[in-house]
Every structure is written in structure tokens, then in C-alpha cells.
Coordinates of all heavy atoms in Angstrom, one line a residue:
M1 N 17.4 -54.4 -12.3 CA 17.0 -55.3 -13.4 C 16.0 -55.0 -14.2 O 14.9 -54.4 -13.8 CB 16.6 -56.6 -12.5 CG 16.1 -57.7 -13.3 SD 15.3 -59.0 -12.5 CE 16.6 -60.0 -12.1
I2 N 16.1 -55.0 -15.5 CA 15.2 -54.7 -16.5 C 14.6 -55.9 -16.9 O 15.2 -56.9 -17.4 CB 15.9 -54.0 -17.8 CG1 16.4 -52.6 -17.2 CG2 14.9 -53.7 -18.8 CD1 17.3 -51.9 -18.2
R3 N 13.2 -56.0 -17.0 CA 12.4 -57.1 -17.5 C 11.7 -56.8 -18.9 O 11.2 -55.7 -18.9 CB 11.4 -57.7 -16.5 CG 12.1 -58.0 -15.2 CD 11.0 -58.5 -14.4 NE 11.8 -58.9 -13.2 CZ 11.3 -59.7 -12.2 NH1 10.0 -60.1 -12.3 NH2 11.9 -60.1 -11.2
D4 N 11.6 -57.8 -19.7 CA 11.0 -57.6 -20.9 C 9.5 -58.0 -20.7 O 9.2 -58.9 -20.0 CB 11.6 -58.5 -22.1 CG 12.5 -57.8 -23.0 OD1 12.5 -56.5 -22.9 OD2 13.3 -58.4 -23.7
L5 N 8.6 -57.1 -21.3 CA 7.2 -57.5 -21.2 C 6.8 -57.8 -22.6 O 6.9 -57.1 -23.5 CB 6.4 -56.2 -20.7 CG 6.8 -55.7 -19.3 CD1 6.0 -54.4 -19.0 CD2 6.5 -56.6 -18.3
R6 N 6.5 -59.0 -22.6 CA 6.0 -59.6 -24.0 C 4.4 -59.5 -24.1 O 3.8 -59.9 -23.0 CB 6.4 -61.0 -24.1 CG 8.0 -61.0 -24.3 CD 8.6 -62.3 -24.7 NE 10.0 -62.1 -24.7 CZ 10.9 -62.9 -23.9 NH1 10.4 -63.9 -23.2 NH2 12.2 -62.7 -24.0
N7 N 4.0 -59.3 -25.2 CA 2.6 -59.3 -25.5 C 1.8 -58.3 -24.5 O 0.6 -58.8 -24.0 CB 1.9 -60.7 -25.3 CG 2.4 -61.6 -26.4 OD1 2.8 -61.1 -27.6 ND2 2.7 -62.8 -26.1
V8 N 2.4 -57.3 -24.2 CA 1.6 -56.4 -23.4 C 1.4 -55.1 -24.2 O 2.3 -54.6 -24.9 CB 2.6 -55.9 -22.2 CG1 1.8 -54.8 -21.3 CG2 2.8 -57.1 -21.3
R9 N 0.2 -54.7 -24.2 CA -0.2 -53.4 -25.0 C -0.8 -52.5 -24.0 O -1.6 -52.8 -23.2 CB -1.2 -53.8 -26.1 CG -0.5 -54.9 -27.1 CD -1.6 -55.1 -28.3 NE -1.1 -56.2 -29.0 CZ -1.4 -57.4 -29.1 NH1 -2.4 -57.8 -28.1 NH2 -0.9 -58.3 -29.8
P10 N -0.5 -51.2 -24.3 CA -1.2 -50.2 -23.6 C -2.7 -50.2 -23.7 O -3.2 -50.4 -24.9 CB -0.6 -48.9 -24.0 CG 0.0 -49.1 -25.2 CD 0.3 -50.6 -25.3
V11 N -3.4 -50.1 -22.8 CA -4.9 -50.0 -22.8 C -5.3 -48.6 -23.0 O -5.0 -47.7 -22.2 CB -5.5 -50.7 -21.7 CG1 -7.1 -50.6 -21.8 CG2 -5.0 -51.9 -21.4
T12 N -6.1 -48.3 -24.0 CA -6.6 -46.9 -24.2 C -8.0 -46.8 -23.5 O -8.7 -47.7 -23.5 CB -7.0 -46.7 -25.8 OG1 -7.9 -47.7 -26.2 CG2 -5.7 -46.7 -26.6
P13 N -8.0 -45.7 -22.7 CA -9.2 -45.5 -21.8 C -10.5 -45.4 -22.7 O -10.4 -44.6 -23.7 CB -8.9 -44.3 -21.1 CG -7.9 -43.7 -21.8 CD -7.1 -44.6 -22.6
S14 N -11.4 -46.1 -22.3 CA -12.7 -45.9 -23.0 C -13.7 -45.0 -22.3 O -13.9 -45.3 -21.1 CB -13.5 -47.3 -23.2 OG -14.7 -47.2 -23.9
H15 N -14.1 -43.9 -22.8 CA -14.9 -43.0 -22.0 C -16.5 -43.4 -22.2 O -17.3 -42.7 -21.7 CB -14.7 -41.5 -22.7 CG -13.2 -41.1 -22.5 ND1 -12.8 -40.8 -21.1 CD2 -12.2 -40.9 -23.3 CE1 -11.6 -40.4 -21.2 NE2 -11.2 -40.5 -22.6
E16 N -16.7 -44.4 -23.0 CA -18.1 -44.8 -23.0 C -18.3 -45.9 -22.1 O -17.5 -46.9 -21.9 CB -18.3 -45.4 -24.4 CG -18.2 -44.2 -25.5 CD -18.3 -44.9 -27.0 OE1 -18.9 -46.1 -27.1 OE2 -17.9 -44.4 -27.9
S17 N -19.4 -45.8 -21.3 CA -19.8 -46.8 -20.4 C -20.6 -47.9 -21.1 O -21.2 -47.7 -22.0 CB -20.4 -46.4 -19.3 OG -21.7 -45.7 -19.7
T18 N -20.5 -49.1 -20.6 CA -21.3 -50.2 -21.0 C -22.7 -50.0 -20.7 O -23.0 -49.9 -19.4 CB -20.8 -51.5 -20.5 OG1 -19.4 -51.6 -20.8 CG2 -21.5 -52.7 -21.2
P19 N -23.6 -50.1 -21.6 CA -25.1 -49.8 -21.1 C -25.6 -50.9 -20.2 O -25.1 -52.2 -20.4 CB -25.8 -49.8 -22.5 CG -24.9 -50.4 -23.4 CD -23.5 -50.3 -23.0
L20 N -26.4 -50.7 -19.4 CA -27.0 -51.6 -18.4 C -28.0 -52.5 -19.3 O -28.7 -52.1 -20.1 CB -27.6 -50.9 -17.3 CG -26.8 -50.0 -16.4 CD1 -27.6 -49.4 -15.4 CD2 -25.6 -50.9 -15.8
S21 N -28.1 -53.8 -18.9 CA -29.2 -54.5 -19.2 C -30.5 -54.1 -18.8 O -30.6 -53.3 -17.9 CB -29.0 -56.1 -18.9 OG -29.2 -56.1 -17.5
E22 N -31.7 -54.6 -19.3 CA -32.9 -54.1 -18.7 C -33.1 -54.4 -17.4 O -33.8 -53.6 -16.6 CB -34.0 -54.7 -19.7 CG -34.2 -54.1 -21.0 CD -35.4 -54.6 -21.8 OE1 -36.3 -55.1 -21.2 OE2 -35.3 -54.9 -23.0
E23 N -32.7 -55.6 -17.0 CA -32.7 -56.1 -15.6 C -31.9 -55.2 -14.6 O -32.3 -54.7 -13.6 CB -32.4 -57.5 -15.5 CG -32.4 -58.0 -14.0 CD -33.6 -58.1 -13.3 OE1 -34.8 -57.9 -13.9 OE2 -33.7 -58.1 -12.1
E24 N -30.8 -54.9 -15.0 CA -29.9 -54.0 -14.3 C -30.4 -52.6 -14.2 O -30.4 -52.0 -13.0 CB -28.5 -53.9 -15.0 CG -27.8 -55.2 -14.8 CD -26.5 -55.2 -15.6 OE1 -26.5 -54.6 -16.6 OE2 -25.5 -55.9 -15.3
E25 N -31.0 -52.1 -15.3 CA -31.5 -50.7 -15.2 C -32.8 -50.7 -14.4 O -32.9 -49.8 -13.5 CB -31.9 -50.3 -16.6 CG -32.5 -48.8 -16.7 CD -31.5 -47.9 -16.5 OE1 -30.3 -48.0 -16.8 OE2 -31.8 -46.8 -16.0
R26 N -33.6 -51.7 -14.5 CA -34.7 -51.8 -13.6 C -34.4 -51.8 -12.1 O -35.0 -51.0 -11.2 CB -35.6 -52.9 -13.8 CG -37.0 -53.0 -13.1 CD -37.7 -54.4 -13.1 NE -36.8 -55.5 -12.6 CZ -36.6 -55.9 -11.4 NH1 -37.2 -55.1 -10.4 NH2 -35.8 -56.9 -11.1
R27 N -33.4 -52.6 -11.6 CA -32.8 -52.6 -10.3 C -32.3 -51.2 -9.9 O -32.5 -50.9 -8.7 CB -31.8 -53.8 -10.2 CG -32.5 -55.2 -10.3 CD -31.6 -56.3 -9.9 NE -30.3 -56.1 -10.6 CZ -29.4 -57.0 -10.8 NH1 -29.5 -58.2 -10.4 NH2 -28.3 -56.8 -11.5
V28 N -31.5 -50.6 -10.7 CA -30.8 -49.3 -10.3 C -32.0 -48.3 -10.0 O -32.0 -47.6 -9.1 CB -29.9 -48.9 -11.4 CG1 -29.7 -47.4 -11.2 CG2 -28.8 -49.7 -11.5
R29 N -33.0 -48.3 -10.9 CA -34.1 -47.3 -10.7 C -34.8 -47.7 -9.5 O -35.4 -46.8 -8.9 CB -34.9 -47.4 -12.0 CG -34.3 -46.6 -13.1 CD -35.2 -46.5 -14.3 NE -34.3 -46.0 -15.4 CZ -35.0 -45.1 -16.3 NH1 -36.1 -44.8 -16.3 NH2 -34.3 -44.6 -17.3
D30 N -35.2 -49.0 -9.3 CA -35.9 -49.3 -8.0 C -35.1 -48.9 -6.8 O -35.7 -48.5 -5.8 CB -36.1 -50.8 -8.0 CG -37.2 -51.3 -9.0 OD1 -38.0 -50.5 -9.4 OD2 -37.3 -52.5 -9.2
T31 N -33.8 -49.1 -6.8 CA -33.0 -48.6 -5.6 C -33.0 -47.2 -5.4 O -33.2 -46.7 -4.3 CB -31.7 -49.2 -5.8 OG1 -31.6 -50.6 -5.9 CG2 -30.7 -48.8 -4.6
L32 N -32.9 -46.4 -6.5 CA -32.9 -44.9 -6.5 C -34.3 -44.5 -6.0 O -34.3 -43.6 -5.2 CB -32.5 -44.4 -7.7 CG -31.2 -44.5 -8.3 CD1 -31.0 -44.0 -9.6 CD2 -30.2 -43.7 -7.4
F33 N -35.4 -45.1 -6.5 CA -36.7 -44.7 -6.1 C -36.8 -44.9 -4.5 O -37.3 -44.1 -3.9 CB -37.7 -45.7 -6.8 CG -39.0 -45.6 -6.3 CD1 -39.8 -44.4 -6.8 CD2 -39.6 -46.2 -5.5 CE1 -41.2 -44.2 -6.5 CE2 -41.0 -46.2 -5.1 CZ -41.8 -45.2 -5.7
R34 N -36.4 -46.0 -4.0 CA -36.5 -46.3 -2.5 C -35.6 -45.4 -1.8 O -36.1 -44.7 -0.8 CB -36.1 -47.8 -2.3 CG -36.3 -48.3 -0.9 CD -36.1 -49.7 -0.7 NE -34.8 -50.3 -1.3 CZ -34.7 -51.0 -2.4 NH1 -35.7 -51.2 -3.2 NH2 -33.5 -51.3 -3.0
E35 N -34.3 -45.3 -2.2 CA -33.3 -44.5 -1.3 C -33.6 -43.1 -1.4 O -33.6 -42.3 -0.4 CB -31.9 -44.9 -1.7 CG -31.5 -46.3 -1.5 CD -31.6 -46.6 -0.1 OE1 -31.2 -45.8 0.8 OE2 -31.9 -47.8 0.2
L36 N -33.7 -42.4 -2.7 CA -34.1 -41.1 -2.8 C -35.5 -40.7 -2.3 O -35.6 -39.6 -1.7 CB -33.9 -40.7 -4.4 CG -32.4 -40.9 -5.0 CD1 -32.4 -40.6 -6.4 CD2 -31.3 -40.1 -4.1
G37 N -36.3 -41.5 -2.4 CA -37.7 -41.4 -1.9 C -37.7 -41.2 -0.4 O -38.2 -40.4 0.1
N38 N -36.9 -42.1 0.2 CA -36.8 -41.9 1.7 C -36.1 -40.7 2.2 O -36.6 -40.1 3.1 CB -36.0 -43.2 2.3 CG -36.7 -44.5 2.2 OD1 -38.0 -44.4 2.2 ND2 -36.1 -45.6 2.2
A39 N -35.0 -40.3 1.4 CA -34.4 -39.0 1.7 C -35.3 -37.8 1.5 O -35.3 -36.9 2.4 CB -33.0 -38.8 0.9
I40 N -36.0 -37.8 0.5 CA -37.0 -36.8 0.3 C -38.1 -36.7 1.2 O -38.5 -35.6 1.7 CB -37.6 -36.7 -1.2 CG1 -36.5 -36.6 -2.3 CG2 -38.7 -35.8 -1.6 CD1 -36.8 -37.0 -3.6
A41 N -38.5 -37.9 1.6 CA -39.5 -37.9 2.7 C -39.1 -37.4 4.0 O -40.0 -36.8 4.7 CB -40.1 -39.4 2.9
D42 N -37.8 -37.5 4.3 CA -37.3 -37.1 5.5 C -37.1 -35.6 5.6 O -37.4 -34.9 6.5 CB -36.0 -37.8 5.9 CG -36.2 -39.3 6.3 OD1 -37.3 -39.6 6.6 OD2 -35.1 -40.0 6.2
R43 N -36.5 -35.1 4.5 CA -36.0 -33.7 4.4 C -36.8 -32.8 3.5 O -36.8 -31.5 3.5 CB -34.5 -33.6 4.0 CG -33.6 -34.1 5.1 CD -32.1 -33.6 4.5 NE -31.8 -34.2 3.3 CZ -31.0 -35.2 3.0 NH1 -30.7 -36.0 4.0 NH2 -30.7 -35.6 1.8
G44 N -37.5 -33.4 2.6 CA -38.2 -32.6 1.5 C -37.3 -32.4 0.2 O -37.8 -31.9 -0.8
W45 N -36.1 -32.8 0.3 CA -35.2 -32.7 -0.7 C -34.0 -33.7 -0.6 O -33.7 -34.1 0.5 CB -34.6 -31.2 -0.9 CG -33.8 -30.9 0.2 CD1 -34.3 -30.3 1.4 CD2 -32.4 -30.9 0.4 NE1 -33.2 -30.1 2.3 CE2 -32.0 -30.4 1.6 CE3 -31.4 -31.4 -0.5 CZ2 -30.8 -30.4 2.1 CZ3 -30.1 -31.3 -0.1 CH2 -29.8 -30.8 1.2
T46 N -33.2 -33.8 -1.7 CA -32.0 -34.6 -1.6 C -31.1 -34.3 -2.9 O -31.7 -33.8 -3.9 CB -32.2 -36.2 -1.4 OG1 -30.9 -36.7 -1.3 CG2 -32.8 -36.6 -2.8
T47 N -29.9 -34.5 -2.9 CA -29.0 -34.4 -4.0 C -28.5 -35.8 -4.3 O -28.3 -36.6 -3.5 CB -28.0 -33.4 -3.9 OG1 -27.1 -33.8 -2.7 CG2 -28.4 -32.0 -3.7
F48 N -28.1 -36.0 -5.6 CA -27.4 -37.2 -6.0 C -26.5 -36.9 -7.2 O -26.9 -36.1 -8.1 CB -28.5 -38.3 -6.4 CG -28.0 -39.6 -6.4 CD1 -28.0 -40.4 -5.3 CD2 -27.7 -40.3 -7.7 CE1 -27.5 -41.6 -5.2 CE2 -27.2 -41.6 -7.7 CZ -27.1 -42.2 -6.6
P49 N -25.3 -37.5 -7.2 CA -24.4 -37.3 -8.4 C -25.0 -37.8 -9.7 O -25.6 -38.9 -9.7 CB -23.2 -38.1 -7.9 CG -23.5 -39.0 -6.8 CD -24.7 -38.4 -6.3
A50 N -24.8 -37.1 -10.7 CA -25.1 -37.4 -12.0 C -24.0 -36.9 -13.0 O -24.1 -35.7 -13.3 CB -26.4 -37.0 -12.4
Y51 N -23.2 -37.8 -13.5 CA -22.1 -37.2 -14.3 C -22.3 -37.3 -15.8 O -21.8 -36.6 -16.5 CB -20.8 -38.0 -14.0 CG -20.5 -37.9 -12.5 CD1 -20.6 -38.9 -11.7 CD2 -19.8 -36.7 -12.0 CE1 -20.3 -38.8 -10.3 CE2 -19.6 -36.5 -10.7 CZ -19.6 -37.6 -9.9 OH -19.3 -37.5 -8.6
T52 N -23.3 -38.1 -16.3 CA -23.6 -38.3 -17.6 C -25.0 -38.1 -17.9 O -25.9 -38.1 -17.0 CB -23.3 -39.9 -18.1 OG1 -24.2 -40.7 -17.4 CG2 -21.9 -40.4 -17.7
P53 N -25.3 -37.8 -19.2 CA -26.7 -37.5 -19.6 C -27.6 -38.7 -19.2 O -28.7 -38.5 -18.8 CB -26.6 -37.3 -21.1 CG -25.3 -36.9 -21.3 CD -24.4 -37.6 -20.4
E54 N -27.0 -40.0 -19.2 CA -27.9 -41.1 -18.9 C -28.3 -41.1 -17.5 O -29.4 -41.4 -17.0 CB -27.2 -42.4 -19.4 CG -28.1 -43.7 -19.0 CD -29.4 -43.7 -19.7 OE1 -29.6 -43.2 -20.8 OE2 -30.3 -44.1 -19.0
E55 N -27.3 -40.8 -16.7 CA -27.6 -40.7 -15.2 C -28.6 -39.6 -14.9 O -29.5 -39.8 -14.0 CB -26.2 -40.5 -14.5 CG -25.4 -41.7 -14.4 CD -24.1 -41.4 -13.8 OE1 -23.6 -40.1 -13.8 OE2 -23.4 -42.3 -13.4
R56 N -28.6 -38.4 -15.6 CA -29.5 -37.4 -15.4 C -30.9 -37.8 -15.8 O -32.0 -37.6 -15.1 CB -29.1 -36.2 -16.1 CG -27.8 -35.5 -15.4 CD -27.2 -34.3 -16.3 NE -26.1 -33.7 -15.6 CZ -26.2 -32.8 -14.7 NH1 -27.3 -32.2 -14.5 NH2 -25.0 -32.4 -14.2
R57 N -31.0 -38.5 -16.9 CA -32.3 -39.1 -17.5 C -32.9 -40.1 -16.5 O -34.1 -40.1 -16.2 CB -32.1 -39.7 -18.8 CG -32.1 -38.7 -19.9 CD -32.2 -39.4 -21.3 NE -31.0 -40.2 -21.7 CZ -29.8 -39.7 -22.2 NH1 -29.8 -38.4 -22.5 NH2 -28.8 -40.5 -22.5
R58 N -32.0 -40.8 -15.8 CA -32.5 -41.8 -14.9 C -33.0 -41.2 -13.7 O -34.1 -41.6 -13.2 CB -31.3 -42.7 -14.5 CG -31.6 -43.9 -13.6 CD -30.4 -44.7 -13.3 NE -30.0 -45.4 -14.6 CZ -28.7 -45.4 -14.9 NH1 -27.8 -44.9 -14.3 NH2 -28.3 -46.0 -16.0
L59 N -32.5 -40.1 -13.2 CA -32.9 -39.4 -12.0 C -34.3 -38.6 -12.4 O -35.2 -38.5 -11.6 CB -32.0 -38.5 -11.5 CG -30.7 -39.1 -10.9 CD1 -29.6 -38.0 -10.4 CD2 -31.0 -39.9 -9.6
V60 N -34.4 -38.2 -13.6 CA -35.7 -37.5 -13.9 C -36.8 -38.6 -13.9 O -37.8 -38.2 -13.6 CB -35.4 -36.8 -15.3 CG1 -36.9 -36.3 -16.0 CG2 -34.5 -35.7 -15.2
A61 N -36.4 -39.7 -14.5 CA -37.4 -40.7 -14.6 C -37.9 -41.2 -13.1 O -39.0 -41.5 -12.8 CB -36.8 -42.1 -15.3
V62 N -36.9 -41.3 -12.2 CA -37.2 -41.5 -10.8 C -38.1 -40.4 -10.3 O -39.1 -40.8 -9.4 CB -35.9 -41.7 -10.0 CG1 -36.2 -41.9 -8.5 CG2 -35.3 -43.0 -10.5
G63 N -37.8 -39.3 -10.5 CA -38.5 -38.1 -10.0 C -40.0 -38.2 -10.5 O -40.9 -38.0 -9.7
E64 N -40.1 -38.6 -11.7 CA -41.5 -38.7 -12.3 C -42.3 -39.9 -11.6 O -43.5 -39.8 -11.4 CB -41.4 -39.0 -13.8 CG -41.0 -37.7 -14.6 CD -40.6 -38.0 -16.0 OE1 -40.6 -39.3 -16.4 OE2 -40.5 -37.1 -16.7
R65 N -41.6 -41.0 -11.4 CA -42.1 -42.2 -10.8 C -42.5 -41.8 -9.2 O -43.6 -42.2 -8.7 CB -41.1 -43.3 -10.7 CG -41.7 -44.5 -10.2 CD -40.7 -45.6 -10.3 NE -41.0 -46.8 -9.6 CZ -40.2 -47.8 -9.2 NH1 -39.0 -47.8 -9.8 NH2 -40.6 -48.8 -8.5
L66 N -41.7 -41.0 -8.6 CA -41.9 -40.6 -7.1 C -43.2 -39.6 -7.2 O -44.1 -39.7 -6.4 CB -40.8 -39.8 -6.6 CG -39.7 -40.7 -6.2 CD1 -38.4 -39.9 -5.8 CD2 -40.2 -41.5 -4.8
T67 N -43.4 -38.8 -8.2 CA -44.5 -37.9 -8.4 C -45.7 -38.7 -8.6 O -46.9 -38.3 -7.9 CB -44.3 -36.9 -9.6 OG1 -43.2 -36.0 -9.4 CG2 -45.6 -36.1 -9.8
A68 N -45.8 -39.8 -9.3 CA -47.0 -40.6 -9.5 C -47.2 -41.4 -8.4 O -48.4 -41.5 -7.9 CB -46.7 -41.5 -10.7
H69 N -46.3 -41.8 -7.6 CA -46.4 -42.7 -6.3 C -47.2 -41.9 -5.2 O -48.1 -42.3 -4.5 CB -45.2 -43.2 -6.0 CG -45.2 -44.1 -4.7 ND1 -45.7 -45.3 -4.8 CD2 -44.8 -43.8 -3.5 CE1 -45.7 -45.9 -3.5 NE2 -45.1 -44.9 -2.7
W70 N -46.6 -40.6 -5.0 CA -47.0 -39.7 -3.9 C -48.2 -39.0 -4.2 O -48.7 -38.4 -3.4 CB -45.9 -38.9 -3.4 CG -44.7 -39.5 -2.7 CD1 -45.0 -40.8 -2.0 CD2 -43.4 -39.2 -2.4 NE1 -43.7 -41.1 -1.4 CE2 -42.8 -40.1 -1.7 CE3 -42.7 -38.2 -2.9 CZ2 -41.4 -40.1 -1.3 CZ3 -41.4 -38.1 -2.6 CH2 -40.8 -39.0 -1.7
G71 N -48.4 -38.5 -5.6 CA -49.4 -37.6 -5.9 C -48.9 -36.2 -5.6 O -49.8 -35.3 -5.5
R72 N -47.7 -36.1 -5.3 CA -47.1 -34.6 -5.1 C -46.0 -34.4 -6.1 O -45.2 -35.4 -6.2 CB -46.6 -34.6 -3.7 CG -47.6 -34.7 -2.5 CD -47.1 -34.7 -1.2 NE -46.4 -33.4 -0.8 CZ -45.7 -33.3 0.3 NH1 -45.7 -34.1 1.1 NH2 -45.3 -32.0 0.5
R73 N -45.9 -33.4 -6.6 CA -44.9 -33.1 -7.7 C -43.4 -33.2 -7.0 O -43.2 -32.5 -6.1 CB -45.2 -31.8 -8.3 CG -44.2 -31.5 -9.5 CD -44.7 -30.5 -10.4 NE -43.7 -30.1 -11.2 CZ -43.1 -28.8 -11.1 NH1 -43.5 -27.9 -10.3 NH2 -42.1 -28.5 -12.0
V74 N -42.4 -33.9 -7.7 CA -41.1 -33.9 -7.3 C -40.4 -33.2 -8.4 O -40.4 -33.6 -9.7 CB -40.6 -35.4 -7.2 CG1 -39.1 -35.4 -6.8 CG2 -41.4 -36.0 -6.0
V75 N -39.7 -32.1 -8.2 CA -38.9 -31.4 -9.0 C -37.5 -32.0 -9.1 O -37.0 -32.2 -8.1 CB -38.9 -30.0 -8.7 CG1 -38.0 -29.1 -9.6 CG2 -40.3 -29.4 -8.6
V76 N -37.0 -32.1 -10.4 CA -35.6 -32.6 -10.6 C -34.9 -31.6 -11.3 O -35.4 -31.3 -12.5 CB -35.6 -34.0 -11.4 CG1 -34.2 -34.4 -11.4 CG2 -36.5 -35.0 -10.6
E77 N -33.9 -30.9 -10.7 CA -33.1 -30.0 -11.4 C -31.7 -30.0 -11.0 O -31.1 -30.6 -10.1 CB -33.6 -28.4 -10.9 CG -33.4 -28.5 -9.4 CD -34.3 -27.3 -8.6 OE1 -35.2 -26.7 -9.4 OE2 -34.3 -27.2 -7.4
A78 N -30.9 -29.5 -12.1 CA -29.3 -29.6 -12.0 C -29.0 -28.7 -10.9 O -29.3 -27.6 -10.9 CB -28.7 -29.3 -13.4
E79 N -28.2 -29.2 -10.0 CA -27.5 -28.4 -8.9 C -26.3 -27.8 -9.5 O -26.0 -26.7 -9.1 CB -27.4 -29.3 -7.7 CG -26.9 -28.5 -6.5 CD -26.6 -29.3 -5.3 OE1 -25.9 -30.4 -5.3 OE2 -27.3 -29.0 -4.2
D80 N -25.5 -28.5 -10.1 CA -24.2 -28.1 -10.7 C -23.9 -29.1 -11.8 O -24.7 -29.9 -12.2 CB -23.0 -27.9 -9.7 CG -22.8 -29.2 -9.0 OD1 -23.0 -30.3 -9.5 OD2 -22.2 -29.2 -7.9
Q81 N -22.7 -29.2 -12.2 CA -22.3 -30.0 -13.4 C -22.4 -31.5 -13.0 O -22.4 -32.4 -13.9 CB -20.9 -29.6 -13.9 CG -20.7 -28.4 -14.6 CD -19.3 -28.1 -15.0 OE1 -18.4 -28.6 -14.4 NE2 -19.2 -27.3 -16.1
C82 N -22.2 -31.8 -11.7 CA -22.0 -33.2 -11.2 C -23.2 -33.6 -10.4 O -23.0 -34.8 -10.0 CB -20.7 -33.2 -10.6 SG -19.3 -32.9 -11.5
A83 N -24.2 -32.9 -10.3 CA -25.3 -33.3 -9.3 C -26.6 -32.9 -9.6 O -26.7 -31.8 -10.2 CB -24.8 -32.9 -7.8
M84 N -27.6 -33.7 -9.3 CA -28.9 -33.3 -9.4 C -29.6 -33.1 -8.1 O -29.4 -33.9 -7.2 CB -29.7 -34.3 -10.2 CG -29.1 -34.5 -11.7 SD -29.4 -33.2 -12.8 CE -31.2 -33.7 -13.3
R85 N -30.6 -32.1 -8.0 CA -31.3 -32.0 -6.8 C -32.8 -32.5 -7.1 O -33.4 -32.2 -8.1 CB -31.4 -30.6 -6.3 CG -32.2 -30.4 -5.0 CD -32.2 -28.8 -4.6 NE -30.9 -28.4 -4.5 CZ -30.3 -28.4 -3.3 NH1 -30.8 -29.1 -2.2 NH2 -29.0 -27.9 -3.1
L86 N -33.4 -33.3 -6.2 CA -34.7 -33.8 -6.2 C -35.4 -33.1 -5.0 O -34.8 -33.3 -3.9 CB -34.8 -35.3 -6.2 CG -34.3 -36.1 -7.5 CD1 -32.9 -36.2 -7.3 CD2 -35.0 -37.3 -7.6
R87 N -36.6 -32.5 -5.3 CA -37.3 -31.9 -4.0 C -38.7 -31.9 -4.3 O -39.2 -31.9 -5.3 CB -36.7 -30.5 -3.8 CG -37.1 -29.6 -5.0 CD -36.5 -28.1 -4.6 NE -36.8 -27.1 -5.8 CZ -37.9 -26.7 -6.1 NH1 -39.0 -26.8 -5.3 NH2 -37.9 -26.0 -7.1
L88 N -39.5 -31.8 -3.3 CA -40.9 -31.7 -3.3 C -41.1 -30.3 -3.8 O -40.6 -29.2 -3.2 CB -41.5 -32.0 -2.1 CG -41.6 -33.4 -1.5 CD1 -42.0 -33.5 0.0 CD2 -42.4 -34.3 -2.4
A89 N -42.0 -30.1 -4.7 CA -42.4 -28.6 -5.3 C -42.8 -27.9 -4.3 O -42.6 -26.6 -4.2 CB -43.3 -28.9 -6.4
D90 N -43.7 -28.4 -3.3 CA -44.3 -27.5 -2.4 C -43.5 -27.4 -1.0 O -44.0 -26.8 0.0 CB -45.7 -27.9 -2.0 CG -46.0 -29.5 -1.6 OD1 -44.8 -30.1 -1.6 OD2 -46.8 -29.9 -1.3
A91 N -42.3 -28.0 -0.9 CA -41.6 -27.9 0.3 C -40.6 -26.6 0.2 O -40.4 -26.1 -0.8 CB -40.5 -29.1 0.3
P92 N -40.4 -26.1 1.4 CA -39.5 -24.9 1.3 C -38.3 -25.2 0.7 O -37.5 -26.4 0.9 CB -39.2 -24.6 2.8 CG -39.9 -25.9 3.6 CD -40.7 -26.7 2.7
A93 N -37.5 -24.3 0.1 CA -36.3 -24.4 -0.6 C -35.2 -24.6 0.6 O -35.2 -24.0 1.6 CB -35.9 -23.2 -1.4
P94 N -34.3 -25.6 0.2 CA -33.2 -26.0 1.3 C -32.2 -24.7 1.2 O -32.0 -24.1 0.2 CB -32.5 -27.3 0.7 CG -33.1 -27.2 -0.8 CD -34.3 -26.5 -0.9
L95 N -31.5 -24.6 2.4 CA -30.5 -23.6 2.4 C -29.4 -24.1 1.6 O -28.9 -25.2 1.8 CB -30.2 -23.4 3.9 CG -31.3 -22.8 4.7 CD1 -31.0 -22.7 6.2 CD2 -31.7 -21.5 4.2
A96 N -28.6 -23.2 1.0 CA -27.3 -23.7 0.3 C -26.2 -24.0 1.2 O -26.0 -23.8 2.2 CB -27.0 -22.5 -0.7

């Protein structure tokens, strides 16, 4: 049985994400600060996915905030195309 689809149009994929509101951005950064900070405190390092430049900037800002909070430098570096590594500058390097 063939059915006619009326008023149906293909949706073109939008590769642009909708920017977060100021409140949403603050909540995301607060959550990353808490969760990534706990992981770094436990191991001395952690990784987190970052697919867009905005996500990478957000992680760098979180690293700067952790540095100010702890008084110990937190290094944020690209691990590969899709992830960032946050680690204490004076902690031993993690094994690959």
C-alpha cells in the first residue's frame, strides 16, 4: 500500500548548534567544574569530549577556574580531535 505524504518536507541537517543562554552556560560550567574537579582531585588528570571550538573554550575556562580555586595550575590540552585532557601541572603524566 502506497500512502501520499502531504505537506512533508525533508529537513536539512543544521550543523550549527543553538547557543546556550547565560543561565544554561553557567550551569554547564558549574557542573563541569564540580565533576572534572573531582576527577582531577582523585587521579590528577581526566579527559572529556570536546567536539566543537566552543566546547574546547568552555573546558579551558573550567581549567582556569580550577587553577584559581586550588592555587595549583591545571593544564588543559588537546588529547586528540575529539577530547581534551585536564591535569595538574605538577602531577605525574598519565600512562597512555
Side-chain angles (χ1 to χ4, degrees):
M1 172 191 269
I2 296 176
R3 295 185 182 196
D4 265 345
L5 299 175
R6 295 189 180 122
N7 295 326
V8 175
R9 295 183 190 100
V11 177
T12 58
S14 173
H15 297 290
E16 297 176 18
S17 62
T18 306
L20 299 177
S21 69
E22 285 184 32
E23 174 65 18
E24 291 169 330
E25 184 67 32
R26 185 190 60 76
R27 288 188 312 201
V28 167
R29 288 183 187 215
D30 287 347
T31 301
L32 289 172
F33 176 79
R34 185 175 50 256
E35 298 298 323
L36 297 178
N38 287 339
I40 294 168
D42 290 342
R43 289 192 304 262
W45 64 276
T46 190
T47 58
F48 198 79
Y51 301 105
T52 65
E54 181 57 37
E55 290 171 335
R56 291 175 181 262
R57 281 190 291 271
R58 187 177 294 130
L59 291 174
V60 168
V62 168
E64 291 169 354
R65 187 173 163 197
L66 286 167
T67 296
H69 180 71
W70 286 335
R72 294 176 67 186
R73 187 165 165 249
V74 175
V75 177
V76 181
E77 54 198 6
E79 183 174 61
D80 58 26
Q81 291 178 331
C82 302
M84 300 287 283
R85 179 182 302 272
L86 292 85
R87 64 177 176 85
L88 292 172
D90 55 355
L95 301 174

